Amino acid sequence: MAPPQSQRSPSPSQPSGKSEVSDLKLQLRQLAGSRAPGTDDLKRDLFKKVISNMTIGIDVSSLFGEMVMCSATSDIVLKKMCYLYVGNYAKGNPELALLTINFLQRDCKDMDPMIRGLALRSLCTLRVENLVEYLVGPLGSGLKDNNSYVRMVAVIGVLKLYHISASTCIDADFPATLKHLMLNDPDTQVVANCLSALQEIWTLESGSSEEAAREREAVHSKPVIYYLLNRIKEFSEWSQCVVLELVAKYVPSDNSEIFDIMNLLEDRLQHANGAVVLATTKVFLHLTLSMADVHQQVYERIKAPLLTQVSSGSPEQSYAILSHLHLLVMRAPYIFSSDYKHFYCQYNEPSYVKKLKLEMLTAVANESNTYEIVTELCEYAANVDIPIARESIRAVGKIALQQYDVNAIVDRLLQFLEMEKDYVTAEALVLVKDLLRKYPQWSQDCIAVVGNISSKNVQEPKAKAALIWMLGEYSQDMNDAPYVLESLVENWDEEHSAEVRLHLLTAVMKCFFKRPPETQKALGAALAAGLADFHQDVHDRALFYYRLLQYKVSVAESVVNPPKQAVSVFADTQNSEVKDRIFDEFNSLSVVYQKPSYMFTDKEHRGILEFSDELGNLSISVESGDSVVPAQRVEENDKDLLLSTTEKDEVRDPGSNGSAYNAPSYDAAISQPLADLALPSTGLTGQAPASSLAIDDLLGLGFPVGTAATPSPPPLNLNPKAVLDPGTFQQKWRQLPISLSEEYSLSPQGIVSLTAPNALLRHMQSHSIQCIASGRQSPNFKFFFFAQKADEASVYLVECIINTSSGKSQINIKADDQSSSQAFSTLFQSALSKFGLP
């Protein structure tokens, strides 16, 4: 049986509700004016209960008056708890905040500097706009206080005041006071706080004030930089980072200044704090960018301190330092090639550190160290950490593609294929495919091993696609290739990966051109299955192959299986412009995330495709070049256009895999005869008669074998002054079907130029294509454009989704006149391709 309620003793962390709050209020009121011995201890216990209740969400704002009255004490612990309570409730209750002003202002004049500082900090933390007049006096006194702690708090308080009311802060001439303190205060923490506050204030003010812009530039002047550098050893570790960040932006007047600064900061590279070492490294790198020889020597100089930091800290710190080393290794791998052993993985390191080290081992590999690195990587292939084992196998393949010791590496990869581990076999198959694309001369050795692998034992889509590619590409050397492909076609419906089905279609076509009699049945079955496939890409490819075969078999062979040259260079996943941008942001999260800061910090990248103020206010020409009106935004209830990359109102079949429309279905009675498709082997060198192919009769498509060339459409002219209101756009977008859907690659310059998205809108407007709405959700930009024919009211609507990571744009076009959609698409892509180019 539970004990009676009266016998329970509720703990502060488990309040009993309103009754306890009432009890607390009564007890606080009794102690408010008491000066008896032990009163402060009783107050502490009550304050702890109040803070505990507040922390778990119970509303104790009714105790505000009693808490303020009980704060009349010299006990710092009580003061801190009272300030915590006041700061929590004052933000949401300006009326209550007004009650605290008197006692906080009184505490700002206390004899104890700790209480003065705490009171001033709490006063600035209230952040109530109608109380800013009460902040100016205490802040002014705090900036002149004899105690450095109070001055330090007052400097940050000025910055808080600026964010509450910038005009009040500027009118009180606080920036000038901060500048004086920065150059004259004996306490370095006060100096560092002044520097941070001034940079933020003047940066925000410089957009509207020329004087603020001049002051901001003055901070980067030689006297200020040298003054801070001469005192840098007096600063705390984090204050040193603030100073060094400023020095990195300084532009010396000559080379002697560069060497003076570097000599002055030489010992900072030996600092125990990794942040100081990275900040110093950034200064050295940026100062010497224009001096190639010295820049290379800087790499040699910073290498040892950074490698030391990697091995002397927590895994999280090691990862941060390694991320910066990774960036440097990618820029100058030859400098780190002799230190490759520092990048060997330790057994107790977390996987994210190991993964980064594997990438660096791949980058530093050269003729002299390839054997040792590959030997080490092969050891990792048997690692119990499967993701790391996969990465190590990929690293071996990447080194092989760099043309270092290919013979030995190919032998290692073939040994991987013989290991009885599914994930090892899967990764090795993908790499062998890439190796054969670059080194066709190794086909005999590779095919001999690959031919022994059963397709039933390969389950991963990429690996199965690689195996199928090899079956089609080297079917003449693999005796069982047609029969393996035929068994895969028979299990078409069981294959869930569209990538595998696409490769299977192509492989069967290639095999047919090399071994027609054995592949004839498999080809017919594959085309029938592909045409009935619900995935749009698979359906389109099957239809494309069918029409090629229908037109001329020899032409189909020249398209699907032409003579190939070895691939010399594989595409880099990150363009050089992005890498340079990341290097410019050295010693920041950009290096850790391996992407420029605009991709994860700008306002436009936050939320679910929020409207950009900058984009929404762009002016669009209507009547003449001088008359402009603001572009209209889509209304709130119409924002569903921007919520997804496909139309919200279109209902698709669940099996459509996200395709824009469903492929036509074919009756089994029609599809079945296609499996018995009779293609004469003699047709490989000439045009096969339509009657022998019998494709038209089987599928009822009725395409003629030879058709006359379609005349080119007339050039499309657009109205440069087109106008369309959002409501009409929304209505048309829902009514019109998609007439054209294409993917297009943007230039690297265009992707970089998207840091200012309104530049794209102005660029497209110059080509008579207007933007009506836009949004963003990293890494995607989404734009809705419209255009109008010059000679009629026909309108084109465009949904353009640009992925900044892949550099691709997905374009969906709807048109009143669908016959001219292709011409408009060509015009649109031409305009898009010129974006960002000089």
Side-chain angles (χ1 to χ4, degrees):
M1 180 180 295
Q5 180 69 24
S6 59
Q7 295 180 10
R8 295 182 184 175
S9 55
S11 66
S13 60
Q14 295 178 341
S16 56
K18 292 183 179 180
S19 60
E20 184 173 353
V21 174
S22 301
D23 292 342
L24 287 172
K25 187 170 186 176
L26 180 61
Q27 294 176 53
L28 287 170
R29 186 170 295 174
Q30 292 173 351
L31 294 175
S34 175
R35 296 184 178 274
T39 299
D40 284 349
D41 292 335
L42 294 174
K43 286 182 180 180
R44 282 193 186 189
D45 292 338
L46 293 175
F47 274 33
K48 287 178 183 178
K49 291 182 179 181
V50 172
I51 298 299
S52 176
N53 290 357
M54 181 182 74
T55 304
I56 62 176
I58 290 181
D59 184 10
V60 288
S61 59
S62 59
L63 305 178
F64 203 94
E66 287 72 17
M67 290 288 288
V68 171
M69 286 190 291
C70 287
S71 65
T73 176
S74 59
D75 190 305
I76 292 182
V77 177
L78 282 175
K79 291 283 188 184
K80 285 184 177 180
M81 286 193 285
C82 183
Y83 295 154
L84 176 62
Y85 172 87
V86 166
N88 183 70
Y89 283 108
K91 295 176 185 177
N93 300 276
E95 296 80 8
L96 293 179
L98 192 59
L99 301 176
T100 67
I101 293 297
N102 288 333
F103 95 88
L104 286 176
Q105 284 186 325
R106 184 178 65 249
D107 285 352
C108 285
K109 299 175 183 178
D110 196 274
M111 296 295 294
D112 189 338
M114 183 64 69
I115 291 180
R116 292 201 304 272
L118 288 171
L120 184 57
R121 186 177 66 179
S122 300
L123 189 62
C124 297
T125 306
L126 297 180
R127 295 180 182 269
V128 180
E129 191 169 355
N130 57 0
L131 300 180
V132 291
E133 59 187 88
Y134 300 103
L135 299 181
V136 176
L139 281 175
S141 302
L143 292 173
K144 299 173 184 177
D145 199 283
N146 293 327
N147 187 273
S148 61
Y149 171 71
V150 180
R151 295 197 304 276
M152 182 178 66
V153 171
V155 171
I156 300 302
V158 169
L159 185 58
K160 292 178 180 177
L161 173 62
Y162 176 82
H163 285 292
I164 300 171
S165 175
S167 59
T168 304
C169 180
I170 301 299
D171 292 343
D173 205 22
F174 281 142
T177 307
L178 295 187
K179 183 178 180 181
H180 175 78
L181 284 175
M182 181 181 72
L183 298 176
N184 298 281
D185 198 288
D187 188 274
T188 52
Q189 189 59 52
V190 175
V191 173
N193 283 8
C194 287
L195 177 59
S196 298
L198 283 174
Q199 287 190 97
E200 187 167 343
I201 291 173
W202 282 335
T203 298
L204 294 172
E205 282 292 306
S206 60
S208 57
S209 169
E210 293 184 4
E211 182 182 354
R214 287 194 299 271
E215 292 288 357
R216 186 182 64 172
E217 293 301 321
V219 175
H220 299 87
S221 63
K222 182 176 178 179
V224 175
I225 296 295
Y226 273 54
Y227 167 75
L228 295 172
L229 285 175
N230 287 327
R231 296 189 63 185
I232 194 165
K233 294 182 181 179
E234 304 172 26
F235 287 88
S236 67
E237 295 171 342
W238 302 113
S239 298
Q240 287 183 36
C241 293
V242 173
V243 174
L244 290 169
E245 191 65 30
L246 177 70
V247 176
K249 301 174 184 176
Y250 174 62
V251 181
S253 57
D254 52 36
N255 290 349
S256 62
E257 267 194 64
I258 294 177
F259 291 116
D260 287 344
I261 294 173
M262 292 170 65
N263 289 332
L264 195 60
L265 295 175
E266 176 75 16
D267 61 334
R268 298 298 91 192
L269 289 173
Q270 308 302 325
H271 203 284
N273 188 294
V276 176
V277 175
L278 283 177
T280 309
T281 299
K282 180 177 182 178
V283 173
F284 279 39
L285 291 172
H286 283 209
L287 287 178
T288 58
L289 275 176
S290 59
M291 308 161 66
D293 295 339
V294 179
H295 194 66
Q296 182 173 340
Q297 293 174 23
V298 167
Y299 274 83
E300 295 283 358
R301 178 66 188 86
I302 64 178
K303 180 171 61 174
L306 290 177
L307 290 173
T308 302
Q309 289 290 332
V310 169
S311 58
S312 60
S314 64
E316 292 79 12
Q317 178 181 335
S318 296
Y319 182 77
I321 304 292
L322 271 174
S323 298
H324 289 78
L325 267 173
H326 177 268
L327 178 63
L328 299 178
V329 166
M330 295 302 167
R331 289 176 67 88
Y334 56 91
I335 292 178
F336 296 88
S337 60
S338 60
D339 301 283
Y340 63 90
K341 289 186 179 179
H342 285 89
F343 307 133
Y344 282 178
C345 299
Q346 305 297 321
Y347 76 95
N348 58 346
E349 289 176 332
S351 57
Y352 53 84
V353 172
K354 290 180 180 178
K355 185 176 184 297
L356 204 55
K357 284 188 172 183
L358 291 176
E359 293 180 13
M360 297 165 77
L361 281 173
T362 306
V364 301
N366 58 24
E367 293 88 343
S368 61
N369 60 23
T370 294
Y371 179 79
E372 290 81 2
I373 290 177
V374 171
T375 301
E376 181 73 12
L377 291 174
C378 289
E379 294 295 326
Y380 303 153
N383 199 302
V384 292
D385 188 346
I386 294 179
I388 295 303
R390 289 177 179 274
E391 288 293 336
S392 64
I393 298 171
R394 292 172 195 157
V396 172
K398 290 177 183 177
I399 293 174
L401 296 176
Q402 294 172 0
Q403 299 181 342
Y404 299 134
D405 196 14
V406 179
N407 298 354
I409 296 177
V410 171
D411 290 339
R412 299 288 182 93
L413 288 175
L414 294 181
Q415 291 174 14
F416 288 151
L417 288 175
E418 297 172 354
M419 292 179 65
E420 296 181 356
K421 293 184 178 179
D422 294 343
Y423 61 89
V424 174
T425 303
E427 293 295 338
L429 277 173
V430 176
L431 292 176
V432 168
K433 181 199 74 171
D434 289 339
L435 281 174
L436 289 177
R437 293 174 62 198
K438 187 166 186 176
Y439 309 114
Q441 65 271 24
W442 286 96
S443 60
Q444 295 297 329
D445 294 329
C446 294
I447 294 307
V449 178
V450 172
N452 296 326
I453 298 175
S454 172
S455 60
K456 297 179 180 178
N457 298 330
V458 181
Q459 300 299 325
E460 296 185 18
K462 286 187 177 297
K464 185 175 284 190
L467 177 61
I468 291 171
W469 180 87
M470 287 183 275
L471 287 170
E473 192 70 23
Y474 299 98
S475 55
Q476 72 278 11
D477 301 321
M478 303 173 72
N479 294 333
D480 296 335
Y483 311 108
V484 174
L485 291 173
E486 185 174 359
S487 65
L488 289 169
V489 172
E490 290 174 355
N491 297 317
W492 182 281
D493 294 334
E494 299 176 10
E495 183 53 62
H496 302 294
S497 170
E499 179 184 10
V500 173
R501 301 199 298 274
L502 287 167
H503 275 78
L504 185 55
L505 273 173
T506 304
V508 172
M509 284 284 286
K510 289 179 180 178
C511 187
F512 171 75
F513 296 129
K514 297 169 184 176
R515 300 167 68 173
E518 298 167 276
T519 320
Q520 173 181 309
K521 182 179 178 181
L523 177 59
L527 288 176
L531 287 169
D533 200 290
F534 283 110
H535 194 282
Q536 195 58 50
D537 291 341
V538 178
H539 166 78
D540 287 352
R541 183 173 295 190
L543 190 59
F544 173 65
Y545 287 163
Y546 156 73
R547 288 175 176 168
L548 275 176
L549 289 170
Q550 181 193 47
Y551 174 69
K552 186 182 290 186
V553 176
S554 59
V555 171
E557 182 179 15
S558 66
V559 171
V560 179
N561 191 41
K564 298 180 183 66
Q565 294 182 347
V567 177
S568 56
V569 179
F570 285 83
D572 195 349
T573 56
Q574 201 174 57
N575 61 57
S576 58
E577 289 85 355
V578 172
K579 290 180 181 177
D580 291 341
R581 179 73 175 266
I582 295 173
F583 181 76
D584 291 340
E585 298 171 359
F586 194 87
N587 193 25
S588 71
L589 283 176
S590 298
V591 181
V592 178
Y593 292 161
Q594 297 186 13
K595 59 179 68 175
S597 59
Y598 72 85
M599 286 186 162
F600 58 88
T601 57
D602 280 1
K603 176 183 177 183
E604 298 165 26
H605 284 277
R606 299 172 189 163
I608 302 179
L609 291 175
E610 292 179 344
F611 284 106
S612 166
D613 295 335
E614 185 179 32
L615 300 183
N617 294 328
L618 182 65
S619 296
I620 296 179
S621 179
V622 180
E623 296 298 335
S624 66
D626 299 324
S627 300
V628 294
V629 295
Q632 298 186 42
R633 297 187 181 195
V634 177
E635 297 297 330
E636 193 70 28
N637 58 357
D638 292 333
K639 284 188 181 178
D640 56 302
L641 278 176
L642 292 173
L643 294 181
S644 65
T645 56
T646 53
E647 288 72 54
K648 187 178 180 182
D649 53 285
E650 289 185 8
V651 180
R652 295 190 179 88
D653 189 290
S656 64
N657 295 320
S659 58
Y661 58 97
N662 290 331
S665 59
Y666 296 86
D667 291 337
I670 298 178
S671 300
Q672 186 60 35
L674 189 60
D676 302 322
L677 180 65
L679 295 174
S681 58
T682 56
L684 289 173
T685 57
Q687 180 176 339
S691 59
S692 64
L693 293 173
I695 295 178
D696 296 346
D697 294 337
L698 287 172
L699 292 182
L701 296 179
F703 286 94
V705 175
T707 58
T710 304
S712 59
L716 182 65
N717 296 319
L718 299 178
N719 178 8
K721 302 176 183 179
V723 178
L724 189 66
D725 65 89
T728 305
F729 184 98
Q730 178 85 334
Q731 183 180 7
K732 280 182 170 289
W733 185 263
R734 287 177 171 167
Q735 291 175 350
L736 294 173
I738 293 180
S739 56
L740 203 60
S741 182
E742 296 180 327
E743 188 175 76
Y744 180 72
S745 297
L746 264 72
S747 65
Q749 296 89 339
I751 295 297
V752 173
S753 299
L754 275 173
T755 51
N758 62 335
L760 174 62
L761 307 195
R762 292 193 175 95
H763 171 79
M764 299 303 286
Q765 185 181 350
S766 68
H767 290 79
S768 302
I769 300 172
Q770 319 292 353
C771 179
I772 196 167
S774 61
R776 196 180 207 178
Q777 185 180 33
S778 182
N780 292 325
F781 288 81
K782 189 169 185 177
F783 302 95
F784 283 93
F785 296 100
F786 69 91
Q788 185 180 23
K789 277 189 178 182
D791 52 349
E792 55 185 275
S794 180
V795 175
Y796 302 96
L797 310 181
V798 184
E799 178 191 46
C800 179
I801 304 163
I802 300 176
N803 186 299
T804 53
S805 299
S806 64
K808 305 265 187 194
S809 65
Q810 178 66 38
I811 302 169
N812 297 319
I813 298 175
K814 298 186 177 185
D816 290 335
D817 178 14
Q818 297 192 24
S819 63
S820 58
S821 296
Q822 186 59 57
F824 175 74
S825 173
T826 303
L827 191 151
F828 186 90
Q829 291 186 19
S830 174
L832 199 59
S833 66
K834 297 173 184 176
F835 176 58
L837 299 180

